Amino acid sequence: MHSSTDSGSTAPGLDLDRPVPLRRLVYLPEADEVTIGSPENDTYAVFPADGAALVRMLAEGLTPREAAENHRAAHGESVDIADLVETLVDLDLVRPGGDDAAAGPAAPVRWQRLGRLVFSPPALVGYALVVALAVAEMIRVPELVPRVDNLFFSSSYTLVVLMLFVGQVPLLALHEAFHALAGRRLGLRSRLSIGRRLVYLVLETSLDGLVGVARRKRYLPIMAGMLADALVIAVLTLVADATRDADGVVASLCLAMAYATALRLAWQGFFYLRTDIYVLLSTVLGCVDLHAAATDVLRNAVRRVTGKPPLDLSAHHPVDRRVARWYAWLMLVGYVFTLTMFAGVVVPTAYRMLHDMWLRLTGQASLGGRLDSLALMLLSLGQTAAVVVLAARERRATRSA
């Protein structure tokens, strides 16, 4: 898309003397680049400033030849306008059906009013007060602080696992709903899908149109999920505090779910994954693909030790290369944090469950205890199978691409 060759090299089927029927486009200038995309199909790409100027000319109705001539007159150099138009076609920014197809009004975004209500200033103040009250109660009653023992609210490990994986689904949905509503209040569409992070199944909300709004407006949609998690922990803690003097069942269940939610919130500190915190840092710093650049920086550190030639970092965006020098070490902190969580949470929990399962299956446990252990094994195998299926699907998609 940078200036090069001339405007006479045309692709088959391209008429340089007819306007290009572009979709309704939005433009977001940042530094010396411009993000251009269409909210009609949520397709966005980063263009250099001169390429963006050409796209604006085409969107205003100039023919490709006229746009190329205007560029030559303004900059004194020719441009491969046919290549630019082909790029716009590949990005699906050219409207199918020819230049007679009318753009029409944009379809309204559902739940936009609800999003504005959920994230109105009074609502945000209310969320802050609830979280502050929960923190104060944790300080006053240390038993309310999330801890690993809270997971074992029942002697039935199957019930515990169901709470962790099935009972958390509505809370995961709330996390993603906050992302979606924070985006929809800005008029952005969203898509919900099931994904995988290492061995974890996750729900993911896609807000592709977020790159087309001002950077300061992106922060709340990015942080909305963590806000939801903090609010869930606070509400569950306050409910547990209010019910702990009763039979204790409700309080124990609330504390267990609060701890599981706290684990998901702590998971945001796994900096080597594309978590919400990673997206927030990338947005604040103006990065394009910080994860890839930081990964290559770490690989080069290993290559220097092993005597292998370093990887070429010039393919990465200049901002990514600059930030990756220190973010790569933050990724290492994420690995250390993961190992700490594994040693402090996963290992003790798994040991307790496996030890008790072994005693139940080999000892004089009741039939109910043995069935509970078998059900737990089946649930664990089911989750592992789901992760394997998703990993295989991702690998097939990568190979096809």
Side-chain angles (χ1 to χ4, degrees), residues 8 35 45 69-70 137 182 203-204 226 239 244 253 333 363 391:
T35 298
E69 290 302 324
N70 284 358
E137 282 300 290
L203 296 177
E204 298 175 317
M226 291 185 287
V239 172
R244 60 192 174 93
L253 181 59
V333 172

Side-chain angles (χ1 to χ4, degrees), residues 5 29 84 101 120 167 173 175 189 234 244 260 266 277 329 331 352 372:
T5 66
L84 175 61
S120 62
H175 175 107
R189 292 176 174 81
R244 60 192 174 93
I277 291 180
W329 303 110
M331 291 177 69
R352 178 171 174 175
D372 179 66

Side-chain angles (χ1 to χ4, degrees), residues 31-291:
D32 57 348
E33 296 176 329
V34 181
T35 298
I36 302 178
S38 174
E40 295 178 18
N41 58 0
D42 279 337
T43 300
Y44 298 85
V46 178
F47 288 73
D50 56 347
L54 284 165
V55 174
R56 286 183 183 273
M57 295 181 201
L58 296 176
E60 291 168 358
L62 273 66
T63 67
R65 194 182 303 279
E66 290 170 341
E69 290 302 324
N70 284 358
H71 183 277
R72 187 199 301 271
H75 300 280
E77 56 184 5
S78 59
V79 65
D80 189 346
I81 194 67
D83 180 66
L84 175 61
V85 175
E86 287 180 7
T87 299
L88 295 174
V89 172
D90 291 339
L91 292 172
D92 196 21
L93 296 180
V94 176
R95 187 179 304 282
D99 53 1
D100 294 330
V109 176
R110 298 179 63 188
W111 311 114
Q112 189 170 359
R113 183 176 299 177
L114 178 60
R116 290 172 178 168
L117 179 64
V118 170
F119 294 99
S120 62
L124 294 175
V125 171
Y127 302 154
L129 290 176
V130 170
V131 172
L133 180 59
V135 171
E137 282 300 290
M138 290 181 192
I139 295 174
R140 189 180 70 85
V141 184
E143 291 79 8
L144 297 174
V145 176
R147 54 172 56 86
V148 67
D149 289 340
N150 291 347
L151 291 177
F152 301 98
F153 65 94
S154 170
S155 59
S156 171
Y157 289 158
T158 301
L159 187 59
V160 170
V161 172
L162 284 175
M163 185 279 299
L164 287 174
F165 295 106
V166 178
Q168 284 288 306
V169 169
L171 302 183
L172 283 168
L174 180 64
H175 175 107
E176 300 304 328
F178 262 53
H179 281 304
L181 288 174
R184 286 179 178 250
R185 86 189 214 286
L186 300 176
L188 305 178
R189 292 176 174 81
S190 59
R191 298 189 309 274
L192 181 64
S193 60
I194 299 177
R196 178 181 64 90
R197 293 291 186 272
L198 293 180
V199 297
Y200 305 103
L201 294 176
V202 296
L203 296 177
E204 298 175 317
T205 298
S206 299
L207 288 169
D208 297 333
L210 202 60
V211 299
V213 301
R215 189 181 302 179
R216 61 181 177 82
K217 294 182 179 180
R218 303 178 204 171
Y219 300 145
L220 183 55
I222 293 171
M223 299 174 62
M226 291 185 287
L227 171 61
D229 291 340
L231 191 59
V232 165
I233 295 170
V235 170
L236 289 173
T237 299
L238 293 176
V239 172
D241 186 40
T243 59
R244 60 192 174 93
D245 292 331
D247 57 10
V249 176
V250 174
S252 297
L253 181 59
C254 287
L255 290 177
M257 295 185 70
Y259 180 74
T261 306
L263 288 180
R264 286 195 289 106
L265 189 57
W267 180 77
Q268 300 293 340
F270 295 174
F271 296 107
Y272 55 90
L273 299 177
R274 291 180 172 90
T275 63
D276 292 347
I277 291 180
Y278 163 80
V279 176
L280 179 63
L281 284 174
S282 296
T283 303
V284 171
L285 299 172
C287 297
V288 177
D289 191 352
L290 176 59
H291 183 273

